Amino acid sequence: MEKKKIIVGATGASGLPILISCLQIIQEASEYESCLIMSDSARITLAHETEYSVEEVEAYADCVFSPEEIGAGPASGSYKTTGMLIVPCSMKTIAGIHSGYADNLILRAADVTIKEQRTLVLAARETPLSPIHLRNLQELAMIPGVRIIPPMMTFYHRPDGIEDMVYHIAAKLLEPFGIEAMNYRRWQGL
């Protein structure tokens, strides 16, 4: 059985623990595989925010591409994927996607995902949001298949700590692809 492929991009915004959780959840989902593209800035942020090495994070992915590999599979619409997740997604990357400025593999893969009308999930990271950020996000949200899911804290699932919050956000980011995370606690009502 051919697995459903999700391209996972990571940029230099804060939130690399969420990336790791997403890759772990995809790895647990037997029908799915991940293709990771980490920007140079994401690698720097990873070292600042976690104890993981780049190699340890890449080990969670089924395949890894460099952002400079502009001719790699994800740069073409004929490369079969379920879609793409960018986590965390910087406002620089949002601006690049918004304008169609595909000068690296993350931006090109996002551009291809939009043109092929596949699911594109953007874990947009910034606060406060400027009018420029809001305009870019609003216009991207109007494109069929594009989902803006900022990694916001939630408390209704009664998290025991930061790891529970990270897992919950990762599960929400992967839900649009059809992945049901094992320990995802949904709202059940009052």
Side-chain angles (χ1 to χ4, degrees), residues 143-154:
I143 298 171
V146 175
R147 305 279 289 276
I148 310 295
I149 306 178
M152 295 183 178
M153 294 184 295
T154 57

Side-chain angles (χ1 to χ4, degrees), residues 21-169:
S21 188
C22 285
L23 290 170
Q24 290 169 337
I25 292 169
I26 294 169
Q27 194 175 53
E28 292 168 357
S30 61
E31 298 174 32
Y32 293 84
E33 64 181 33
S34 62
C35 293
L36 178 62
I37 311 166
M38 287 182 72
S39 72
D40 292 340
S41 296
R43 293 165 184 263
I44 293 168
T45 304
L46 177 73
H48 181 73
E49 292 185 344
T50 77
E51 300 298 319
Y52 285 84
S53 69
V54 170
E55 295 75 24
E56 288 171 319
V57 173
E58 289 177 344
Y60 288 117
D62 294 286
C63 60
V64 177
F65 297 101
S66 163
E68 292 79 29
E69 289 182 79
I70 201 69
S76 172
S78 65
Y79 189 75
K80 192 172 179 179
T81 72
T82 300
M84 182 174 188
L85 165 64
I86 304 178
V87 56
C89 188
S90 67
M91 287 300 131
K92 176 183 174 183
T93 300
I94 293 286
I97 295 167
H98 176 265
S99 67
Y101 184 67
D103 76 333
N104 64 47
L105 187 57
I106 293 172
L107 291 172
R108 176 60 186 161
D111 192 52
V112 166
T113 301
I114 290 171
K115 82 176 181 71
E116 296 295 328
Q117 297 183 349
R118 297 174 183 148
T119 300
L120 176 61
V121 175
L122 304 172
R125 277 286 303 119
E126 188 61 79
T127 190
L129 294 165
S130 77
I132 295 167
H133 302 152
L134 291 167
R135 183 202 64 217
N136 289 345
L137 290 167
Q138 187 265 340
E139 290 177 6
L140 284 170
M142 295 178 67
I143 298 171
V146 175
R147 305 279 289 276
I148 310 295
I149 306 178
M152 295 183 178
M153 294 184 295
T154 57
F155 298 93
Y156 63 83
H157 61 287
R158 305 291 298 263
D160 289 329
I162 193 77
E163 291 81 17
D164 281 354
M165 290 179 139
V166 168
Y167 184 90
H168 187 80
I169 291 166

